[in-house]
Amino acid sequence: MLAEARWPEDGDGAPPGVPGFVHSEFAPLVVAVAERCLSRYASGALPGGNRTAVVLVSASGDTAAAAHVRATVAAGGRVGPLFFFQSVPNSVAGHVAARWGLDGPVVCLSPTGDPRAEGETEAELLRHDGDAAQALLILIELAPDGTPGEATAVLLGEGTRQ
């Protein structure tokens, strides 16, 4: 393990918003925990050729955005175009990859068992197959009561801090 972070940590409130993502804390939570983890490893974007994968693991996905879309459609409303983009968890994983220069594969999983174990297995498979040198594993679940929820990010691989 090269770096690890959680959201929330002591003193955290809601994560800051992310342009292009609305009506949900899912994307802001992913971005906040990923940036916290990566900034504990490097002072900025990783150098080209880093082959860092992003593995996002969530059993329920962005339930807040899905509920908004469901309610809008049920009421006969028009769903905004941002929801077509943000409804796929890969979109926020790609956002993190682009911001930090992560140039490995992006994988999203909905685990049926232990989320961390399944995410670590996927990350190890990517590394073993040569698709990635390291992997940013992000575990996220929104809270059912409308509060932001929790996320953990772990940078897995061999190497030294940048």
Side-chain angles (χ1 to χ4, degrees):
M1 179 172 47
L2 301 172
E4 184 171 12
R6 296 186 53 77
W7 194 284
E9 290 181 355
D10 289 340
D12 288 338
V18 178
F21 295 91
V22 295
H23 290 286
S24 174
E25 295 295 327
F26 188 86
L29 194 52
V30 168
V31 171
V33 76
E35 289 187 350
R36 179 173 281 167
C37 179
L38 290 167
S39 67
R40 289 176 178 170
Y41 176 73
S43 59
L46 298 177
N50 59 72
R51 296 179 33 243
T52 302
V54 178
V55 178
L56 190 145
V57 181
S58 179
S60 56
D62 190 348
T63 54
H68 174 76
V69 169
R70 214 172 13 259
T72 301
V73 170
R78 186 170 169 217
V79 177
L82 286 178
F83 286 102
F84 295 104
F85 169 76
Q86 91 173 34
S87 67
V88 180
N90 288 37
S91 60
V92 72
H95 174 86
V96 168
R99 267 180 106 163
W100 282 85
L102 309 180
D103 54 15
V106 172
V107 177
C108 294
L109 302 175
S110 181
T112 57
D114 179 316
R116 185 157 183 157
E118 289 189 30
E120 287 176 349
T121 298
E122 181 66 25
E124 183 57 32
L125 180 62
L126 292 169
R127 291 179 55 225
H128 179 75
D129 285 349
D131 294 327
Q134 54 195 23
L136 176 64
L137 171 60
I138 303 168
L139 306 156
I140 176 173
E141 294 302 331
L142 292 180
D145 63 1
T147 58
E150 297 181 342
T152 300
V154 183
L155 185 61
L156 303 168
E158 297 177 15
T160 58
R161 293 183 185 267
Q162 302 287 313

